[in-house]
Amino acid sequence: MAAMLASRAETRTQARILRLLRDEGPLSRAELADRLQVSRTTIAAEVGRLTELELAGDAGPATSRGGRRSTIVDFRADLRFAGVDIGATSLGVAITDGRLRVLAKAAEEIDVREGPESVLPTALRITRELLAEQESPHRLVGAGVGVPGPVDFDRGVPVSPPIMPGWDGYPVRDAMARELGCPVLLDNDVNVMTLGEQHSGVARSAQNFLFVKIGTGIGCGIMVGGHMYRGVDGCAGDIGHITVEESGPICACGEKGCLEAVFGGAALARDATAAARAGRSRVLLDMLGERGELTAVDVGAAAARGDACSVQMVREGGRRVGLTLAGLVSFINPGLIVIGGRVANLGHLLLSEIRGVVYRRSLPLATGNMPIVLSELGDDAGVVGAARMVSDALYAVE
Amino acid sequence: MAAMLASRAETRTQARILRLLRDEGPLSRAELADRLQVSRTTIAAEVGRLTELELAGDAGPATSRGGRRSTIVDFRADLRFAGVDIGATSLGVAITDGRLRVLAKAAEEIDVREGPESVLPTALRITRELLAEQESPHRLVGAGVGVPGPVDFDRGVPVSPPIMPGWDGYPVRDAMARELGCPVLLDNDVNVMTLGEQHSGVARSAQNFLFVKIGTGIGCGIMVGGHMYRGVDGCAGDIGHITVEESGPICACGEKGCLEAVFGGAALARDATAAARAGRSRVLLDMLGERGELTAVDVGAAAARGDACSVQMVREGGRRVGLTLAGLVSFINPGLIVIGGRVANLGHLLLSEIRGVVYRRSLPLATGNMPIVLSELGDDAGVVGAARMVSDALYAVE
């Protein structure tokens, strides 16, 4: 946590009240006392303190339940979180209220390779513009930031990020906190999306699940017992560099046959271009001629039009991802797998291949009740997850 | 936990006192108050209650620290745990005191395929014999049991265990608890050994580590944040059935190319026999002629004598295990890997191959400070781990 003065829970009961309000909406004092199994006197004292902290307070009388009249408790209406999702080529920002409902959002194209000195000012400008557009008075109490590379979560800095030259060791968290005047947390984009899925996606009620992002690269977020699992050095979930084919193509990391060297956005673009040039797909060759380059989206479009070569590439990729996931299922025995990221837009052709392999190659006990589903959040996963990350910290006792 | 009346911690402070005594030995009341950051009055009250529960109590005056005189607190001397380690062909039992020091142990050859009606009476007989041999009076307060197959931990029953026909769904935990008159916990052998490593092995101070058992089959125990991670269905760590070679040999599970179909005790015995018969190793052929069959131990002995074919088999196996572990390291980012099980006796030839592959194929950030070491506990890992498992439950508040 950045060393910033901030409005945040001071006691365990305050933290539990704030999380209940976030995850379930306004509740009466009587309901809070029931839910938390504490006395109404305790609730009164803690809500009084949350009012002084300008986090939450009374929001009118509750509907009578026949007994003593109660009062509704809710977040302060002026509370705001910012979620910032920095991708390789795009930057998204959302402003939310205390319940993490998105009040405003915007995105711009960027090139993350231009470095923090160029990208962070853009993020700050968009955040400030969105805040300025808010009609009512507001108070930013926290911001979460996701970046497309490994992060030392405790220090709030990117660590040797392969596609982000110039960001290695840059104090992103503290620089953003200084500019925004509120606590900021930094994590990698996959973990942030995982929190978004947990907050409002298909994994909403799941305590133990994997979120697999298939974008330009491939990564995995690990939720264990309701908490983000980051590993001993903060680099858990780096499944894109698991070896899947010992004599496979060279990966950006320098090794051979990593999962993301055989599948993912970059690999698909490479394979599609090669297939077009080798005359293996008329559809892809035409697309290449029109645009000068091919992307994973083109492969998806070609597959949707029935191009056998593209269908084969997606199937083979799904098989490779599925085999890797089957191994991880045997190892970690999760309750759910959510597949997201832009390449997941290839949709059900990819999903059915992944499902087929995982269900065939994992222990029946482990997959008997383990759905594999596509994310439905799209780009919101990143910005909402970033806001969720910092709200988790403020709605907790350190 | 079995529904048995038992002496166990009733409060968090009692639980913390019992764990401190277990893991560090006798402590004075003053030291307990310091360590737990509670008042001496609280310690006095909780130790009083532990005395009534016949778990721990005063054990004489403490050496003066210059201030007020204090009293040493220790476990009741008559407290006993039993650890039962059921393997495919052997059964080990240890009796420990409250600190889990082994006071007596014994082992017998069995055949787990004879089923629970044959094996459990043997386990009970050995346990009772060991208890009867105890010179001083004693009270068995809990027993842990490990079995070589998947276990539903919450129900205390084996689930579809491939090498234990007749055990599927058998109420091992409750049957043992009824006979022994104390709480019993059941888990698979690998998880139990993992707890043993955490208690008194090379992983003693580790909160996040993997224990890889290479025996007849291959399995993995996962310690996360100091707790055993069992997965959503209790079958986490089943790495023996991760696919490592899609067109590899048929596994006992029916699939092709599982890790334990290409390496492990059973695979080594099969490959060594084939190599001997095909004339690829004179040393192995001689051994086969003498004994009629070959085991992993023979391959180890032949490798130690410089037999090139055996060395090659161990190296290739180490490479296969290493590649699988490298993937798991990228995924879970552990702090330490401990290699145990009987095939780990192949020793440093195997270990150096595993290390080479893992360190080469995992993210530098993840392996920069991640030792890979051989277990030093041998057969004690199972029995001590089983006792540790049940002590964890009694020295905790449900």
Side-chain angles (χ1 to χ4, degrees):
Chain A
M1 172 59 57
M4 300 287 302
L5 289 173
S7 297
R8 55 177 304 155
E10 299 164 326
T11 66
R12 217 173 119 69
T13 303
Q14 287 173 25
R16 293 170 73 200
I17 292 172
L18 294 172
R19 288 186 182 219
L20 273 180
L21 298 180
R22 177 188 70 188
D23 299 336
E24 306 194 9
L27 291 165
S28 73
R29 289 183 174 213
E31 286 167 327
L32 285 172
D34 282 357
R35 298 290 297 279
L36 301 182
Q37 293 281 297
V38 298
S39 69
R40 286 179 70 151
T41 315
T42 301
I43 292 293
E46 296 288 21
V47 170
R49 187 60 192 140
L50 288 173
T51 306
E52 288 165 13
L53 291 169
E54 301 187 321
L55 286 170
D58 291 335
T63 316
S64 170
R65 295 194 302 177
R68 194 146 54 109
R69 191 180 172 144
S70 190
T71 309
I72 288 287
V73 178
D74 197 3
F75 285 109
R76 283 265 305 225
D78 62 353
L79 215 65
R80 295 291 179 275
F81 287 108
V84 179
D85 182 17
I86 301 175
T89 59
S90 69
L91 191 160
V93 179
I95 302 298
T96 80
D97 62 8
R99 286 172 63 187
L100 309 189
R101 290 177 299 193
V102 174
L103 304 176
K105 61 180 176 176
E108 280 190 20
E109 294 200 352
I110 56 149
D111 182 348
V112 79
R113 291 170 301 182
E114 291 182 359
E117 309 283 3
S118 157
V119 173
L120 295 186
T122 305
L124 289 165
R125 176 177 51 73
I126 301 175
T127 305
R128 286 172 180 142
E129 283 169 6
L130 290 173
L131 285 169
E133 285 163 16
Q134 298 279 301
E135 286 177 18
S136 45
H138 55 79
R139 223 161 22 93
L140 189 67
V141 292
V145 180
V147 290
V151 164
D152 182 329
F153 183 74
D154 292 328
R155 286 170 55 223
V157 301
V159 178
S160 313
I163 66 164
M164 300 166 66
W167 292 75
D168 186 20
Y170 191 90
V172 176
R173 180 192 65 192
D174 293 348
M176 292 287 282
R178 204 161 42 237
E179 288 290 331
L180 292 172
C182 68
V184 171
L185 286 180
L186 178 75
D187 206 345
N188 73 65
D189 55 349
V190 182
N191 284 354
V192 160
M193 291 171 82
T194 305
L195 287 166
E197 292 293 340
Q198 185 193 32
H199 184 73
S200 54
V202 285
R204 191 165 153 78
S205 63
Q207 298 290 299
N208 298 281
F209 71 94
L210 302 182
F211 172 77
V212 180
K213 180 194 175 189
I214 311 179
T216 303
I218 296 180
C220 181
I222 307 167
M223 191 67 68
V224 170
H227 296 282
M228 195 72 226
Y229 175 81
R230 292 189 172 88
V232 168
D233 304 291
C235 57
D238 185 33
I239 67 171
H241 300 286
I242 290 181
T243 309
V244 297
E245 194 181 330
E246 283 182 80
S247 50
I250 298 282
C251 181
C253 76
E255 276 296 342
K256 263 195 214 167
C258 295
L259 177 60
E260 71 178 50
V262 302
F263 190 64
L268 265 181
R270 175 201 66 207
D271 291 349
T273 306
R277 293 205 171 123
R280 291 203 302 276
S281 164
R282 181 73 206 205
V283 180
L284 290 175
L285 184 60
D286 290 348
M287 285 175 165
L288 182 61
E290 278 166 35
R291 280 165 233 173
E293 63 170 16
L294 289 173
T295 67
V297 174
D298 297 322
V299 179
R305 283 162 60 185
D307 175 51
C309 174
S310 298
V311 168
Q312 180 54 29
M313 278 191 279
V314 174
R315 281 218 173 115
E316 177 60 16
R319 197 181 66 80
R320 275 342 214 319
V321 173
L323 268 176
T324 304
L325 292 184
L328 300 182
V329 166
S330 295
F331 178 65
I332 205 82
N333 182 203
L336 166 72
I337 295 180
V338 182
I339 314 276
R342 298 236 166 128
V343 173
N345 291 341
L346 294 173
H348 287 275
L349 177 60
L350 179 66
L351 183 66
S352 66
E353 195 68 31
I354 292 175
R355 279 182 174 151
V357 176
V358 174
Y359 291 143
R360 196 172 69 243
R361 301 272 354 190
S362 309
L363 198 68
L365 180 59
T367 55
N369 187 26
M370 186 199 67
I372 304 176
V373 297
L374 288 177
S375 166
E376 293 164 4
L377 282 183
D379 291 342
D380 271 5
V383 288
V384 170
R388 160 88 187 203
M389 171 169 63
V390 75
S391 83
D392 273 348
L394 298 189
Y395 300 168
V397 181
E398 262 179 350
Chain B
M1 174 60 55
M4 298 289 300
L5 289 174
S7 297
R8 55 178 302 154
E10 300 164 326
T11 66
R12 217 173 119 68
T13 303
Q14 286 174 24
R16 293 170 74 200
I17 291 172
L18 294 172
R19 287 184 184 222
L20 273 179
L21 297 180
R22 178 187 69 188
D23 299 335
E24 307 193 10
L27 291 165
S28 72
R29 289 182 174 213
E31 286 166 329
L32 285 170
D34 281 357
R35 296 290 298 278
L36 300 181
Q37 292 280 297
V38 299
S39 70
R40 287 180 68 152
T41 315
T42 301
I43 293 293
E46 297 288 21
V47 170
R49 187 60 190 140
L50 288 172
T51 306
E52 287 165 14
L53 291 168
E54 301 187 323
L55 287 170
D58 292 334
T63 316
S64 171
R65 296 194 302 176
R68 195 149 50 113
R69 192 181 170 141
S70 188
T71 308
I72 287 287
V73 179
D74 196 3
F75 286 110
R76 286 265 302 225
D78 62 352
L79 215 65
R80 296 290 179 274
F81 287 109
V84 179
D85 182 18
I86 300 175
T89 59
S90 69
L91 191 160
V93 179
I95 302 296
T96 80
D97 62 9
R99 287 171 66 186
L100 310 188
R101 290 176 298 192
V102 175
L103 303 177
K105 61 180 177 176
E108 280 190 18
E109 294 203 351
I110 58 149
D111 183 348
V112 80
R113 290 170 301 184
E114 291 181 359
E117 310 282 5
S118 157
V119 174
L120 295 185
T122 306
L124 289 165
R125 175 179 49 76
I126 300 175
T127 305
R128 286 173 181 141
E129 283 170 4
L130 289 174
L131 285 170
E133 285 163 18
Q134 297 279 302
E135 286 176 18
S136 46
H138 54 79
R139 226 159 21 93
L140 189 67
V141 292
V145 180
V147 290
V151 164
D152 182 329
F153 183 75
D154 292 330
R155 286 170 53 224
V157 302
V159 178
S160 312
I163 66 163
M164 300 165 66
W167 292 75
D168 187 19
Y170 191 91
V172 177
R173 181 192 64 190
D174 294 347
M176 292 287 280
R178 203 162 41 239
E179 288 291 331
L180 292 173
C182 68
V184 171
L185 287 179
L186 178 75
D187 205 346
N188 72 65
D189 55 349
V190 183
N191 285 353
V192 161
M193 290 171 83
T194 306
L195 287 166
E197 291 293 338
Q198 185 193 32
H199 185 73
S200 53
V202 284
R204 187 161 157 81
S205 63
Q207 297 290 300
N208 299 280
F209 71 95
L210 302 182
F211 173 76
V212 180
K213 180 195 175 187
I214 311 179
T216 304
I218 296 181
C220 181
I222 307 168
M223 191 66 66
V224 170
H227 297 282
M228 196 71 228
Y229 176 82
R230 293 188 171 88
V232 167
D233 305 291
C235 58
D238 185 33
I239 66 171
H241 300 285
I242 291 181
T243 310
V244 296
E245 194 181 332
E246 284 183 80
S247 51
I250 299 282
C251 182
C253 76
E255 277 295 343
K256 263 195 215 166
C258 295
L259 177 60
E260 71 178 48
V262 302
F263 190 64
L268 264 181
R270 175 201 65 207
D271 291 349
T273 306
R277 293 204 172 123
R280 290 202 303 277
S281 164
R282 182 73 207 208
V283 180
L284 290 174
L285 183 59
D286 289 349
M287 287 175 163
L288 181 61
E290 280 165 35
R291 283 168 231 170
E293 63 172 12
L294 290 173
T295 67
V297 174
D298 297 321
V299 178
R305 283 162 58 186
D307 176 52
C309 175
S310 298
V311 168
Q312 179 54 29
M313 279 192 279
V314 175
R315 282 220 172 113
E316 177 59 17
R319 197 181 66 80
R320 275 343 213 319
V321 173
L323 267 175
T324 303
L325 292 183
L328 300 181
V329 166
S330 294
F331 178 64
I332 206 81
N333 183 201
L336 166 72
I337 295 180
V338 182
I339 314 275
R342 298 239 166 127
V343 175
N345 291 341
L346 294 173
H348 288 274
L349 177 60
L350 179 66
L351 183 66
S352 68
E353 196 67 31
I354 293 175
R355 279 182 174 152
V357 176
V358 174
Y359 290 144
R360 196 172 70 243
R361 302 274 350 191
S362 309
L363 198 66
L365 180 58
T367 54
N369 187 25
M370 187 198 68
I372 304 175
V373 296
L374 288 177
S375 166
E376 294 165 3
L377 283 183
D379 290 342
D380 272 4
V383 288
V384 170
R388 160 89 187 203
M389 171 169 65
V390 75
S391 83
D392 273 348
L394 298 188
Y395 301 168
V397 181
E398 260 180 350

